Amino acid sequence: MSREVDDLALWLEDALREVLESMCFLSLEGSTPCQVAASDWLSCALQFAGVPSGAFGLRAPLSMARIMAANFLGREEAELNDGQIMDVLCEVANIACGSVLARLDPQRSFALTPPVPGQFTTREVWGIEGVCRTFTLDEGSIETRLEIGTRE
Amino acid sequence: MPSNVLIVDDSRSVRMVMRRILDISGFALGDCLEAADGLEALRILMREKVDIVVTDINMPNMDGEEFMQQIASDPYLRRIPVMVLTTDRSEERMERMISLGAKGYITKPFVPETIGAALAKLVQESL
């Protein structure tokens, strides 16, 4: 990996760790480059505009997403419906993206689109820099993808 | 005296978490109202007595910045203390929101204990 991609991977891990520990009470164990995810994983993606612009995606198996949602909302897993689970996945993506962007540039603000359920990569081709990591936890796996472009 | 709080966030999950935090934090909560964007929040502010507003920034229809501009331009509404709760940690945005009248700025992810304490401080300052 290049130095810049190394930095992106580190920021991605730091951001996700911060969000999961403080909002979902979950700890990351380690990470590897992304593998091919099962088709039934839940996913969510959003785009950000600024300098630089890009996209952020997050996906997880239903069982993992359910645990995240239960911890985030302080509810029992059995009480949650599909909409609540997806809503939390999208909010975690939103917060993690904001956390990564604060590391990219702490001075300037970025405009974020609302998270879109069912996406992991965006249709836009950014293609300048990108990193995708699978994070392991005791409870399962989570994947995140960060794409950086140059357009404003 | 209990305070009526309006939570403005397009995420139902965040609104639910905020409501739970306010319930258990010891904050003297009156009515807890919710809006999914700035437009809906303004409609609520026109008809309900609200003591404190907690608003996100990135929202559809009317974002938090435009919402704050609307509040700032209204002689009655601008007396209501507003706390911003957002993923945006940039100094640029924080300065802009403070200049529009925001009395507090908390970034996500947040530690639940900070929310109740920040709101209690806002109430105290507004007395």
Side-chain angles (χ1 to χ4, degrees), chain B residues 64-96:
Chain B
E65 199 163 324
E66 190 182 347
F67 174 52
M68 285 292 299
Q69 286 166 351
Q70 295 287 332
I71 288 179
S73 66
D74 184 295
Y76 172 72
L77 295 182
R78 69 176 170 224
R79 285 182 248 164
I80 302 172
V82 179
M83 184 171 83
V84 176
L85 181 64
T86 177
T87 58
D88 193 336
R89 303 181 194 179
S90 67
E91 290 172 21
E92 181 184 41
R93 180 78 85 166
M94 186 167 73
E95 284 167 10
R96 229 163 39 223

mmCIF file of all heavy atoms in Angstrom, chain B residues 64-96:
data_model
loop_
_atom_site.group_PDB
_atom_site.id
_atom_site.type_symbol
_atom_site.label_atom_id
_atom_site.label_comp_id
_atom_site.label_asym_id
_atom_site.label_seq_id
_atom_site.Cartn_x
_atom_site.Cartn_y
_atom_site.Cartn_z
ATOM 1 N N GLY B 64 -29.532 22.062 9.055
ATOM 2 C CA GLY B 64 -29.407 22.731 10.343
ATOM 3 C C GLY B 64 -28.930 24.170 10.232
ATOM 4 O O GLY B 64 -29.280 25.013 11.051
ATOM 5 N N GLU B 65 -28.141 24.446 9.215
ATOM 6 C CA GLU B 65 -27.616 25.803 9.068
ATOM 7 C C GLU B 65 -28.736 26.765 8.648
ATOM 8 O O GLU B 65 -28.872 27.863 9.208
ATOM 9 C CB GLU B 65 -26.482 25.794 8.043
ATOM 10 C CG GLU B 65 -25.618 27.012 8.182
ATOM 11 C CD GLU B 65 -24.269 26.862 7.493
ATOM 12 O OE1 GLU B 65 -23.682 25.757 7.499
ATOM 13 O OE2 GLU B 65 -23.804 27.863 6.944
ATOM 14 N N GLU B 66 -29.549 26.341 7.685
ATOM 15 C CA GLU B 66 -30.670 27.186 7.259
ATOM 16 C C GLU B 66 -31.694 27.318 8.392
ATOM 17 O O GLU B 66 -32.273 28.395 8.600
ATOM 18 C CB GLU B 66 -31.325 26.609 6.001
ATOM 19 C CG GLU B 66 -32.323 27.570 5.390
ATOM 20 C CD GLU B 66 -33.016 27.003 4.161
ATOM 21 O OE1 GLU B 66 -32.556 25.969 3.625
ATOM 22 O OE2 GLU B 66 -34.037 27.580 3.761
ATOM 23 N N PHE B 67 -31.884 26.236 9.103
ATOM 24 C CA PHE B 67 -32.796 26.255 10.260
ATOM 25 C C PHE B 67 -32.340 27.297 11.281
ATOM 26 O O PHE B 67 -33.126 28.099 11.790
ATOM 27 C CB PHE B 67 -32.822 24.844 10.863
ATOM 28 C CG PHE B 67 -33.583 24.707 12.144
ATOM 29 C CD1 PHE B 67 -34.893 25.163 12.265
ATOM 30 C CD2 PHE B 67 -33.000 24.096 13.254
ATOM 31 C CE1 PHE B 67 -35.597 25.018 13.460
ATOM 32 C CE2 PHE B 67 -33.690 23.947 14.436
ATOM 33 C CZ PHE B 67 -34.990 24.418 14.541
ATOM 34 N N MET B 68 -31.030 27.320 11.550
ATOM 35 C CA MET B 68 -30.486 28.302 12.491
ATOM 36 C C MET B 68 -30.654 29.729 11.974
ATOM 37 O O MET B 68 -30.920 30.659 12.736
ATOM 38 C CB MET B 68 -29.000 28.029 12.734
ATOM 39 C CG MET B 68 -28.696 26.845 13.624
ATOM 40 S SD MET B 68 -29.205 27.096 15.334
ATOM 41 C CE MET B 68 -28.211 28.504 15.788
ATOM 42 N N GLN B 69 -30.496 29.890 10.650
ATOM 43 C CA GLN B 69 -30.690 31.229 10.056
ATOM 44 C C GLN B 69 -32.125 31.697 10.257
ATOM 45 O O GLN B 69 -32.380 32.868 10.567
ATOM 46 C CB GLN B 69 -30.350 31.199 8.563
ATOM 47 C CG GLN B 69 -28.858 31.128 8.294
ATOM 48 C CD GLN B 69 -28.531 30.748 6.857
ATOM 49 O OE1 GLN B 69 -29.404 30.380 6.078
ATOM 50 N NE2 GLN B 69 -27.257 30.813 6.512
ATOM 51 N N GLN B 70 -33.071 30.774 10.081
ATOM 52 C CA GLN B 70 -34.490 31.113 10.269
ATOM 53 C C GLN B 70 -34.754 31.503 11.724
ATOM 54 O O GLN B 70 -35.479 32.456 11.994
ATOM 55 C CB GLN B 70 -35.364 29.910 9.890
ATOM 56 C CG GLN B 70 -35.301 29.532 8.419
ATOM 57 C CD GLN B 70 -36.043 30.525 7.539
ATOM 58 O OE1 GLN B 70 -36.995 31.168 7.978
ATOM 59 N NE2 GLN B 70 -35.616 30.671 6.299
ATOM 60 N N ILE B 71 -34.185 30.762 12.631
ATOM 61 C CA ILE B 71 -34.368 31.065 14.062
ATOM 62 C C ILE B 71 -33.760 32.433 14.383
ATOM 63 O O ILE B 71 -34.368 33.255 15.068
ATOM 64 C CB ILE B 71 -33.723 29.960 14.926
ATOM 65 C CG1 ILE B 71 -34.554 28.678 14.845
ATOM 66 C CG2 ILE B 71 -33.586 30.408 16.381
ATOM 67 C CD1 ILE B 71 -34.001 27.527 15.648
ATOM 68 N N ALA B 72 -32.552 32.661 13.854
ATOM 69 C CA ALA B 72 -31.852 33.917 14.155
ATOM 70 C C ALA B 72 -32.604 35.137 13.634
ATOM 71 O O ALA B 72 -32.489 36.231 14.188
ATOM 72 C CB ALA B 72 -30.450 33.866 13.554
ATOM 73 N N SER B 73 -33.389 34.945 12.573
ATOM 74 C CA SER B 73 -34.086 36.091 11.974
ATOM 75 C C SER B 73 -35.438 36.360 12.630
ATOM 76 O O SER B 73 -36.123 37.309 12.270
ATOM 77 C CB SER B 73 -34.280 35.851 10.467
ATOM 78 O OG SER B 73 -35.168 34.761 10.277
ATOM 79 N N ASP B 74 -35.816 35.519 13.580
ATOM 80 C CA ASP B 74 -37.118 35.688 14.228
ATOM 81 C C ASP B 74 -36.908 36.201 15.668
ATOM 82 O O ASP B 74 -36.241 35.546 16.478
ATOM 83 C CB ASP B 74 -37.847 34.333 14.255
ATOM 84 C CG ASP B 74 -39.260 34.444 14.824
ATOM 85 O OD1 ASP B 74 -39.406 34.765 16.038
ATOM 86 O OD2 ASP B 74 -40.207 34.225 14.059
ATOM 87 N N PRO B 75 -37.469 37.367 15.985
ATOM 88 C CA PRO B 75 -37.207 37.965 17.303
ATOM 89 C C PRO B 75 -37.670 37.111 18.479
ATOM 90 O O PRO B 75 -37.089 37.193 19.566
ATOM 91 C CB PRO B 75 -37.979 39.290 17.261
ATOM 92 C CG PRO B 75 -38.818 39.253 16.044
ATOM 93 C CD PRO B 75 -38.328 38.190 15.133
ATOM 94 N N TYR B 76 -38.691 36.282 18.279
ATOM 95 C CA TYR B 76 -39.146 35.412 19.370
ATOM 96 C C TYR B 76 -38.299 34.137 19.426
ATOM 97 O O TYR B 76 -37.777 33.763 20.487
ATOM 98 C CB TYR B 76 -40.623 35.060 19.187
ATOM 99 C CG TYR B 76 -41.090 34.018 20.183
ATOM 100 C CD1 TYR B 76 -41.259 34.350 21.533
ATOM 101 C CD2 TYR B 76 -41.300 32.695 19.789
ATOM 102 C CE1 TYR B 76 -41.654 33.388 22.450
ATOM 103 C CE2 TYR B 76 -41.685 31.733 20.703
ATOM 104 C CZ TYR B 76 -41.871 32.080 22.032
ATOM 105 O OH TYR B 76 -42.246 31.133 22.943
ATOM 106 N N LEU B 77 -38.131 33.498 18.280
ATOM 107 C CA LEU B 77 -37.437 32.202 18.257
ATOM 108 C C LEU B 77 -35.966 32.314 18.660
ATOM 109 O O LEU B 77 -35.408 31.391 19.244
ATOM 110 C CB LEU B 77 -37.535 31.564 16.867
ATOM 111 C CG LEU B 77 -38.935 31.159 16.389
ATOM 112 C CD1 LEU B 77 -38.856 30.497 15.013
ATOM 113 C CD2 LEU B 77 -39.624 30.230 17.383
ATOM 114 N N ARG B 78 -35.355 33.452 18.359
ATOM 115 C CA ARG B 78 -33.915 33.532 18.637
ATOM 116 C C ARG B 78 -33.587 33.565 20.126
ATOM 117 O O ARG B 78 -32.430 33.502 20.502
ATOM 118 C CB ARG B 78 -33.273 34.698 17.901
ATOM 119 C CG ARG B 78 -33.661 36.067 18.376
ATOM 120 C CD ARG B 78 -32.860 37.114 17.601
ATOM 121 N NE ARG B 78 -33.360 38.439 17.842
ATOM 122 C CZ ARG B 78 -33.555 39.360 16.899
ATOM 123 N NH1 ARG B 78 -33.311 39.075 15.652
ATOM 124 N NH2 ARG B 78 -34.000 40.544 17.214
ATOM 125 N N ARG B 79 -34.631 33.672 20.953
ATOM 126 C CA ARG B 79 -34.390 33.608 22.401
ATOM 127 C C ARG B 79 -34.257 32.159 22.891
ATOM 128 O O ARG B 79 -33.847 31.904 24.012
ATOM 129 C CB ARG B 79 -35.556 34.274 23.141
ATOM 130 C CG ARG B 79 -35.527 35.782 23.049
ATOM 131 C CD ARG B 79 -36.671 36.376 23.828
ATOM 132 N NE ARG B 79 -37.628 37.001 22.920
ATOM 133 C CZ ARG B 79 -38.867 37.341 23.237
ATOM 134 N NH1 ARG B 79 -39.336 37.097 24.430
ATOM 135 N NH2 ARG B 79 -39.646 37.928 22.368
ATOM 136 N N ILE B 80 -34.664 31.203 22.050
ATOM 137 C CA ILE B 80 -34.587 29.788 22.458
ATOM 138 C C ILE B 80 -33.154 29.291 22.266
ATOM 139 O O ILE B 80 -32.603 29.377 21.161
ATOM 140 C CB ILE B 80 -35.547 28.927 21.600
ATOM 141 C CG1 ILE B 80 -36.983 29.440 21.735
ATOM 142 C CG2 ILE B 80 -35.459 27.458 22.005
ATOM 143 C CD1 ILE B 80 -37.963 28.775 20.784
ATOM 144 N N PRO B 81 -32.528 28.772 23.326
ATOM 145 C CA PRO B 81 -31.160 28.257 23.158
ATOM 146 C C PRO B 81 -31.118 27.017 22.264
ATOM 147 O O PRO B 81 -31.977 26.136 22.379
ATOM 148 C CB PRO B 81 -30.710 27.922 24.584
ATOM 149 C CG PRO B 81 -31.909 27.999 25.444
ATOM 150 C CD PRO B 81 -33.003 28.703 24.707
ATOM 151 N N VAL B 82 -30.133 26.994 21.384
ATOM 152 C CA VAL B 82 -29.985 25.879 20.444
ATOM 153 C C VAL B 82 -28.633 25.218 20.647
ATOM 154 O O VAL B 82 -27.605 25.895 20.706
ATOM 155 C CB VAL B 82 -30.090 26.362 18.979
ATOM 156 C CG1 VAL B 82 -29.911 25.188 18.015
ATOM 157 C CG2 VAL B 82 -31.419 27.055 18.735
ATOM 158 N N MET B 83 -28.660 23.900 20.742
ATOM 159 C CA MET B 83 -27.415 23.128 20.800
ATOM 160 C C MET B 83 -27.304 22.305 19.516
ATOM 161 O O MET B 83 -28.281 21.686 19.094
ATOM 162 C CB MET B 83 -27.417 22.191 22.007
ATOM 163 C CG MET B 83 -26.102 21.444 22.174
ATOM 164 S SD MET B 83 -26.036 20.549 23.729
ATOM 165 C CE MET B 83 -26.918 19.081 23.283
ATOM 166 N N VAL B 84 -26.137 22.336 18.904
ATOM 167 C CA VAL B 84 -25.911 21.579 17.675
ATOM 168 C C VAL B 84 -25.313 20.220 18.026
ATOM 169 O O VAL B 84 -24.398 20.140 18.855
ATOM 170 C CB VAL B 84 -24.968 22.356 16.722
ATOM 171 C CG1 VAL B 84 -24.661 21.535 15.480
ATOM 172 C CG2 VAL B 84 -25.585 23.696 16.344
ATOM 173 N N LEU B 85 -25.846 19.178 17.411
ATOM 174 C CA LEU B 85 -25.347 17.808 17.621
ATOM 175 C C LEU B 85 -25.074 17.235 16.234
ATOM 176 O O LEU B 85 -26.008 16.941 15.486
ATOM 177 C CB LEU B 85 -26.401 16.970 18.350
ATOM 178 C CG LEU B 85 -26.046 15.538 18.682
ATOM 179 C CD1 LEU B 85 -24.879 15.477 19.653
ATOM 180 C CD2 LEU B 85 -27.249 14.811 19.268
ATOM 181 N N THR B 86 -23.807 17.090 15.868
ATOM 182 C CA THR B 86 -23.483 16.803 14.460
ATOM 183 C C THR B 86 -22.253 15.921 14.310
ATOM 184 O O THR B 86 -21.445 15.798 15.236
ATOM 185 C CB THR B 86 -23.238 18.142 13.717
ATOM 186 O OG1 THR B 86 -22.862 17.873 12.370
ATOM 187 C CG2 THR B 86 -22.119 18.936 14.382
ATOM 188 N N THR B 87 -22.109 15.343 13.122
ATOM 189 C CA THR B 87 -20.890 14.592 12.804
ATOM 190 C C THR B 87 -19.783 15.529 12.327
ATOM 191 O O THR B 87 -18.638 15.119 12.211
ATOM 192 C CB THR B 87 -21.151 13.583 11.665
ATOM 193 O OG1 THR B 87 -21.618 14.291 10.523
ATOM 194 C CG2 THR B 87 -22.170 12.544 12.067
ATOM 195 N N ASP B 88 -20.139 16.782 12.035
ATOM 196 C CA ASP B 88 -19.177 17.721 11.455
ATOM 197 C C ASP B 88 -18.321 18.374 12.541
ATOM 198 O O ASP B 88 -18.795 19.200 13.307
ATOM 199 C CB ASP B 88 -19.934 18.797 10.663
ATOM 200 C CG ASP B 88 -19.009 19.632 9.774
ATOM 201 O OD1 ASP B 88 -17.794 19.712 10.089
ATOM 202 O OD2 ASP B 88 -19.491 20.186 8.785
ATOM 203 N N ARG B 89 -17.049 18.006 12.591
ATOM 204 C CA ARG B 89 -16.165 18.519 13.649
ATOM 205 C C ARG B 89 -15.297 19.674 13.165
ATOM 206 O O ARG B 89 -14.400 20.112 13.884
ATOM 207 C CB ARG B 89 -15.213 17.408 14.109
ATOM 208 C CG ARG B 89 -15.899 16.182 14.598
ATOM 209 C CD ARG B 89 -14.834 15.203 15.047
ATOM 210 N NE ARG B 89 -15.392 13.891 15.219
ATOM 211 C CZ ARG B 89 -14.684 12.837 15.586
ATOM 212 N NH1 ARG B 89 -13.386 12.955 15.807
ATOM 213 N NH2 ARG B 89 -15.261 11.673 15.732
ATOM 214 N N SER B 90 -15.503 20.123 11.946
ATOM 215 C CA SER B 90 -14.602 21.139 11.406
ATOM 216 C C SER B 90 -14.762 22.466 12.135
ATOM 217 O O SER B 90 -15.858 22.853 12.527
ATOM 218 C CB SER B 90 -14.870 21.339 9.910
ATOM 219 O OG SER B 90 -16.138 21.910 9.711
ATOM 220 N N GLU B 91 -13.645 23.157 12.278
ATOM 221 C CA GLU B 91 -13.673 24.470 12.932
ATOM 222 C C GLU B 91 -14.516 25.443 12.126
ATOM 223 O O GLU B 91 -15.243 26.271 12.678
ATOM 224 C CB GLU B 91 -12.245 25.004 13.071
ATOM 225 C CG GLU B 91 -11.427 24.233 14.087
ATOM 226 C CD GLU B 91 -9.963 24.639 14.075
ATOM 227 O OE1 GLU B 91 -9.662 25.738 13.598
ATOM 228 O OE2 GLU B 91 -9.137 23.826 14.534
ATOM 229 N N GLU B 92 -14.431 25.315 10.796
ATOM 230 C CA GLU B 92 -15.188 26.191 9.902
ATOM 231 C C GLU B 92 -16.684 26.127 10.210
ATOM 232 O O GLU B 92 -17.342 27.147 10.378
ATOM 233 C CB GLU B 92 -14.921 25.736 8.458
ATOM 234 C CG GLU B 92 -15.595 26.542 7.393
ATOM 235 C CD GLU B 92 -15.328 25.941 5.999
ATOM 236 O OE1 GLU B 92 -15.354 24.699 5.860
ATOM 237 O OE2 GLU B 92 -15.096 26.706 5.068
ATOM 238 N N ARG B 93 -17.205 24.928 10.304
ATOM 239 C CA ARG B 93 -18.645 24.752 10.536
ATOM 240 C C ARG B 93 -19.035 25.197 11.940
ATOM 241 O O ARG B 93 -20.057 25.842 12.142
ATOM 242 C CB ARG B 93 -19.034 23.289 10.327
ATOM 243 C CG ARG B 93 -20.490 23.025 10.537
ATOM 244 C CD ARG B 93 -21.328 23.462 9.366
ATOM 245 N NE ARG B 93 -21.334 22.393 8.382
ATOM 246 C CZ ARG B 93 -22.177 22.329 7.357
ATOM 247 N NH1 ARG B 93 -23.052 23.290 7.160
ATOM 248 N NH2 ARG B 93 -22.126 21.329 6.508
ATOM 249 N N MET B 94 -18.197 24.821 12.909
ATOM 250 C CA MET B 94 -18.517 25.177 14.287
ATOM 251 C C MET B 94 -18.588 26.701 14.442
ATOM 252 O O MET B 94 -19.529 27.226 15.034
ATOM 253 C CB MET B 94 -17.477 24.598 15.249
ATOM 254 C CG MET B 94 -17.852 24.810 16.696
ATOM 255 S SD MET B 94 -16.867 23.854 17.830
ATOM 256 C CE MET B 94 -15.331 24.716 17.766
ATOM 257 N N GLU B 95 -17.627 27.392 13.856
ATOM 258 C CA GLU B 95 -17.620 28.861 13.946
ATOM 259 C C GLU B 95 -18.864 29.446 13.287
ATOM 260 O O GLU B 95 -19.464 30.398 13.788
ATOM 261 C CB GLU B 95 -16.362 29.425 13.275
ATOM 262 C CG GLU B 95 -15.121 29.253 14.147
ATOM 263 C CD GLU B 95 -13.825 29.519 13.390
ATOM 264 O OE1 GLU B 95 -13.896 30.012 12.247
ATOM 265 O OE2 GLU B 95 -12.760 29.211 13.948
ATOM 266 N N ARG B 96 -19.262 28.845 12.146
ATOM 267 C CA ARG B 96 -20.444 29.344 11.433
ATOM 268 C C ARG B 96 -21.705 29.168 12.280
ATOM 269 O O ARG B 96 -22.554 30.061 12.369
ATOM 270 C CB ARG B 96 -20.586 28.597 10.112
ATOM 271 C CG ARG B 96 -20.791 29.553 8.978
ATOM 272 C CD ARG B 96 -20.553 29.008 7.610
ATOM 273 N NE ARG B 96 -20.979 27.682 7.303
ATOM 274 C CZ ARG B 96 -20.236 26.809 6.615
ATOM 275 N NH1 ARG B 96 -19.037 27.151 6.215
ATOM 276 N NH2 ARG B 96 -20.688 25.613 6.324
#
